[in-house]
Amino acid sequence: MTDTNDSSPNGVRGTLFTAPGEAGAERVARPRKALLSSSMVGSTNRGRVLQALFDLGPTSRAELARLAGVNRTTISGIVQPLIDDQVLVESDPMPANPGGGKPARPLWFSPKARPICGVLLMPDAVHACVATLDGKIESERKMTLPDGRGQVAPIVETIAECVGDTLAKARRTPFGIGVAVGGMVDTDRGSIITVNLAPSLDRYPLADDLGHRFGLPVKLDHHPRALLVGDRWFGAGRGVRQFAVVYTGEVLGGALYFDGHLHRGTSGAGGELGHTFVQLDGELCRCGRRGCWDTIATLSWLRREAGLAALPEPELIDSARLVDMATRRLPGAPELLDRYARNVAVGIANLQQTVAPNTFILHGDVVLGGERLLTAIADHVRSMVPSRPGGAIEFIAGDAGDGAALLGAAGLVISELLQLPI
């Protein structure tokens, strides 16, 4: 799986590296602003090597050469600039094989590499972190945002304060800032389109603002897509050719990954799964339309129904509390748990019937429900989707907190600015 590449910027005649399991390699457009030295910019080969390391973990030059079908000299020409720029490091030699030969020295991300800033922006709070290239969060800060229906300036200043305090803790200047937004975004312009629970941020050019303030490249994307990026580089999606992410909480969203690519749609309009229709003429959604999946599978629905079922403290209920009540067989709790699982499942079943990702990674509130809720959702989905050869559906519990989204926001920078296509 190679293709000749005679115009490498570093003058090395080599091959185009294709990560294991890929049908072919694609040339990736140069980022608008180079963050690495001139010897590293523009080489798809190096991006493919880094992608392989994310998928495989620490890997030797010999193994990379074997997987690429090229010689050691070619691989060395690709990885040595990465070592020189302190992106990669060769670890101590591993024990030699019984058959002899030179001990392998696995390549991995250097602890001296420049980090990345990841930011999660939700309607009520901003959470920022500094993360390493191999997905370790080194420092973080979370701040409550002013009222999202008030003036935009205090909101933006709070975001900037949180990001600035986080950047100040970085040991080196980060490669860039990745921002995951809990709302619709225009990925081409780096601006927010709308945040339903914080309308003051609607149409705000956040990427330009943060880039101007901190002098760093900024990549903005939808929160569920950032979750998917985090799963792709650091989580259960590593090395998986296609999967879907579904997030539940105060809102509902999702993202799709097919044949090695994240689906964004035109200007980032794709993947608004929470506003797909599941009930014709159903309940009015906060978006102004009726029957959205968001109206029957979020915490607002669950808490309202818990109140109608006379469950204790319905305004505080989440999946963990509901499962606990159902386990104790409080009247109405087992039935509500099953209805909630079915409501989540109906949107997943529609997604499976439409594009068949086969693997679903769930994040957010439903993860708090543990195995019982995950199993209930999976059983409902399988009862709704006809069985077919090769159509086994897998469900994986992701993250109930902010960690995956923060790493996913950081992963947006990895994907865009280190030439790792996604």
Side-chain angles (χ1 to χ4, degrees), residues 300-312:
S300 59
W301 178 91
L302 181 61
R303 289 166 178 168
R304 184 190 67 198
E305 295 300 312
L308 295 174
L311 293 174

Side-chain angles (χ1 to χ4, degrees), residues 178-248:
V179 184
V181 179
M184 295 177 65
V185 300
D186 184 333
T187 53
D188 292 344
R189 297 179 181 271
S191 63
I192 297 171
I193 296 175
T194 182
V195 179
N196 286 326
L197 300 178
S200 299
L201 287 168
D202 292 359
R203 297 176 298 281
Y204 192 80
L206 187 61
D208 286 346
D209 186 306
L210 294 178
H212 177 74
R213 289 174 187 258
F214 300 111
L216 293 171
V218 179
K219 180 66 178 177
L220 194 76
D221 214 327
H222 191 208
H223 168 234
R225 285 198 289 265
L227 282 171
L228 186 146
V229 172
D231 287 331
R232 166 66 185 89
W233 293 131
F234 310 115
R238 288 176 60 179
V240 179
R241 292 298 299 166
Q242 57 188 45
F243 63 96
V245 159
V246 174
Y247 171 86
T248 67

